[in-house]
Amino acid sequence: MKNIYYILGFLFNFNYIITSIGISLSGYSIVYLLILVILIIKSRLVVYKSNNNLYLIILLISFFYCISFIYSTQHDYSKYKFFMFFIKLLPLIVLPYFLKLNILKFMKGYFLSLSLVLVLIFIKTFFMQDISVNNRLIIGDMNPIWISRIVLETLLLALLIFNKKKIWLFMIIPVAYIIFLSGSKGPLLSFIIVVGFYYFNNIKSNRDKFRAFLLLTGLSILMIYIIINLDVNSYIYQRFLLPVPDNVSEVMYESSRVVVWPETVSKISNSNVSNLLFGNGIGSFGNFYHGGSLNSDREYPHNILLELIVEQGVVFLILFIITIIITIKYKNNFKYVLIFYLLNACFSGDILNNEKIFLYIGLVNAYNLYFYHQKRRKLII
């Protein structure tokens, strides 16, 4: 079946399409595993030799994750997190290797489904009630942060992977409007950093670098001017320029990043050496943060670095960082989307919510394996 890779890529994000039309869908992670099984069967278990260092680090990460589960409290969230790490996250790293030379076909279907989601979300915005500081864009089970991530990933793929500049320009207005309604600064900041990093990383001549510097300086001055003259009670100022909007409830403020992150760092600094190095166990953040009172709820700091230090320890975090460093050294544009999701993971979600990190770790390494060493083909469809 010639179009199987397009179809599988399209199915990867099909859950977002269903959610965009208002239908709740749970348990979709099993589809990722089914896609992997189909690819394994189709490839007849044949995969070219890969990066042995990456395999070793993944093996070590898996080992430490198992150890972390053993000495965790093993409540419902820790069991769920342990199970999903092996059912959802690790398969996403492996999946691109079984695509072999069909990575770009898969990603074309993947991009098509995300583009359809973007269109559906944009249409939905015309039927939304008044948006305010504390009443942001929510569609089905997708909160404002996840909506922003999806549409900005679509924009990044159009610009950096498929080199579709006309499509990218066509997408800018609906994406900007959706980002405005979502009021999510984390994804927007991550997008700006990645695009800036991409262009500066690809500028060759000193003259072009100087021009880029002047442009960046001019835009910065313009932004500062706009910010200074903004009404402090306006939606833009409250949602995009304040860490926490004014007039939020005390409960919301106490659970915000401005409170949770400093308090978590303080508690980490007072941890004993054993817990600092090897963590407190999978799903233990709630227990750790509330001072030892057992908390089985799904609670996390909305920062993947703090989450890994608390639950798996510094040793695990170092292995994770080494994996990222090994991955982003390769010269293909998938690494920029990986960096986008890594930055997002430092603002929101737990490790399970940030599964795209693992997919793009696999894509960067697999693309380098199958394409970069074959006449250094450009990453353009």
Side-chain angles (χ1 to χ4, degrees), residues 93 112 173 235 250 254 269 303 310 315 363:
I93 297 180
L112 179 61
I173 293 177
Y235 177 84
E250 184 177 350
E254 289 299 320
S269 65
N303 182 295
V310 170
V315 173
L363 282 169

Side-chain angles (χ1 to χ4, degrees), residues 281-316:
I282 295 174
S284 63
F285 180 79
N287 186 26
F288 171 85
Y289 186 77
H290 295 291
S293 58
L294 183 62
N295 190 325
S296 62
D297 293 334
R298 185 170 182 170
E299 192 167 351
Y300 43 88
H302 290 280
N303 182 295
I304 194 169
L305 303 180
L306 294 178
E307 178 186 352
L308 293 181
I309 291 175
V310 170
E311 298 193 0
Q312 280 78 47
V314 172
V315 173
F316 187 93

